[in-house]
């Protein structure tokens, strides 16, 4: 089974004596209707950023950047840190539900992982000027898209799962969706720390 297929085990009538069979259902296309159908969809798709036809992950990261600058006007750094802390386990939940309803293990339209991870990056690098924020953005997008080393390892954790045989497949998929971006955030912060140390 590929990431673009969803296996659903169906049992035949008892009198046939046959074993359960698997029927593959086509993925659901993310639309504005899907976005508004469930609060988890609305969050996971980045309040609409994930519907971008071009580079939804970049669109989600840009939304995270803009929203962080707005949040700074209303909340203290400690309050934003609390929001970041809550956004990670909440993101696991909304990504699991949305991936299951899309019938795709790692849908590109889910961008809450980018949002929560880049919020964490900005929270830890601030205060920083526009150039510093732009460097953080570029580094994060590099690690998230190129997936070198540990980012690629984290990304593969949810691939190859079969929901027909693994009842925790969607929960693990949600964890994998969040984890690779958190690792990308860690790599970004490490690169920035080294840059600041040697600069």
């Amino acid at each position: 089974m590929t990431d673009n297929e969803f296996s659903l085990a169906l049992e035949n009538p008892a009198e046939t004596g046959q074993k359960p069979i698997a029927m593959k259902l086509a993925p659901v296309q993310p639309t504005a209707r899907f976005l508004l159908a469930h609060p988890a969809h609305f969050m996971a798709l980045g309040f609409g950023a994930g519907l971008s036809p071009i580079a939804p992950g970049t669109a989600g990261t840009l939304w995270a950047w803009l929203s962080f600058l707005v949040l700074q006007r209303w909340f203290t750094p400690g309050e934003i840190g609390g929001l970041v802390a809550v956004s990670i386990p909440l993101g696991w939940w909304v990504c699991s539900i949305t991936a299951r309803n899309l019938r795709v293990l790692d849908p590109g339209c889910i961008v809450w992982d980018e949002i929560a991870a880049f919020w964490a990056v900005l929270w830890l690098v601030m205060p920083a000027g526009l150039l510093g924020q732009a460097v953080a953005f570029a580094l994060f997008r590099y690690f998230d898209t190129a997936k070198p080393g540990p980012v690629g390892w984290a990304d593969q954790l949810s691939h190859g799962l079969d929901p027909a045989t693994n009842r925790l497949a969607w929960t693990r998929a949600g964890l994998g969706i969040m984890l690779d971006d958190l690792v990308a955030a860690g790599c970004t912060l490490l690169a920035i720390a080294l840059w600041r140390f040697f600069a």
Side-chain angles (χ1 to χ4, degrees):
M1 189 190 75
T2 67
D3 285 354
N4 293 325
E5 295 173 326
F6 170 63
S7 293
L8 177 65
L10 297 175
E11 291 190 1
N12 287 333
E15 62 270 14
T16 65
Q18 294 180 357
K19 295 181 179 180
I21 61 173
M23 184 178 76
K24 293 182 178 179
L25 301 178
V28 173
Q29 292 300 314
T31 61
R33 175 175 288 187
F34 179 86
L35 174 78
L36 300 173
H38 193 290
H41 300 174
F42 192 63
M43 282 189 61
L45 272 60
F47 312 103
L51 296 180
S52 171
I54 301 172
T58 299
T61 309
L62 286 170
W63 191 97
W65 189 359
L66 177 61
S67 62
F68 188 91
L69 296 178
V70 172
L71 288 170
Q72 279 193 310
R73 295 178 173 272
W74 296 338
F75 300 104
T76 67
E79 290 169 338
I80 294 176
L83 177 63
V84 170
V86 170
S87 73
I88 294 171
L90 182 61
W92 181 4
W93 178 73
V94 302
C95 291
S96 297
I97 288 177
T98 306
R100 182 193 67 198
N101 293 345
L102 286 167
R103 304 173 189 152
V104 180
L105 290 170
D106 191 1
C109 61
I110 290 182
V111 297
W112 186 258
D113 47 337
E114 279 90 358
I115 292 170
F118 196 58
W119 275 354
V121 169
L122 290 175
W123 180 62
L124 290 169
V125 302
M126 289 298 207
L130 184 60
L131 177 60
Q133 295 172 47
V135 168
F137 175 86
L139 285 170
F140 177 73
R141 290 310 303 145
Y142 164 73
F143 285 115
D144 190 30
T145 56
K147 302 189 186 304
V151 186
W153 168 82
D155 181 63
Q156 291 299 315
L157 290 179
S158 64
H159 292 198
L161 298 172
D162 187 351
T165 58
N166 186 341
R167 64 185 181 87
L168 296 177
W170 296 116
T171 302
R172 289 183 58 187
L175 177 62
I177 289 168
M178 291 296 299
L179 186 60
D180 74 301
D181 285 82
L182 294 173
V183 175
C187 292
T188 300
L189 291 167
L190 178 60
I192 291 172
L194 292 171
W195 171 42
R196 288 179 172 177
F197 181 79
F198 290 107

